[in-house]
Structures are given as C-alpha cells and as structure tokens.
Amino acid sequence: MRMKITKKEGGLLKLESSREGVAIDAEIFEFTPAFHLIEMKKSSGDMLEYQKILKEDIRPALQDIVWAWQDEQQ
C-alpha cells in the first residue's frame, strides 16, 4: 500500500501515506488468539483522501479476513 508504518506509544501504529499526505492511527485489540479487532482513525490529512485509501487500498487488501465494516449495513 506504499505506506510508512511507525509503532507508537501504547501499542498504536501510525500509517502514513506520503503521496496523499494522510496519516492513520491503528490500534489492534486481541479478544482471542483467533479474533482481533483493528480500529483505524484518520489522524491528519484530507478526509476524502482518507476515504479513498480505505476504499481502494486497505479494504481490498483485507477482504478475505474482514466479516463486516462498521459503516456498512448487511
């Protein structure tokens, strides 16, 4: 996805796209060894570029392991 990943304090990850100028904070929660929840939030940059990165890069890369997206109805 051409993003720089940095580990931050408290187990957070920061994903930065130099091309779009968007930074995303990701936090991983382990409920069981087989079940993890990843919360992603835009920390800086343009909202439209953030949504574009989610739609075109992150979601397709995770499509085999994601059951549902928070903002989509089944």
Side-chain angles (χ1 to χ4, degrees), residues 7-13 26-29:
K7 188 173 181 178
K8 293 174 59 177
E9 204 172 294
L12 293 174
L13 299 174
E27 187 171 3
I28 302 170
F29 301 94

Side-chain angles (χ1 to χ4, degrees), residues 38-54:
I38 302 172
E39 181 180 7
M40 300 180 89
K41 298 183 244 181
K42 179 183 76 71
S43 57
S44 67
D46 183 62
M47 180 59 80
L48 293 176
E49 289 297 328
Y50 168 70
Q51 291 173 343
K52 180 181 173 187
I53 290 171
L54 285 179

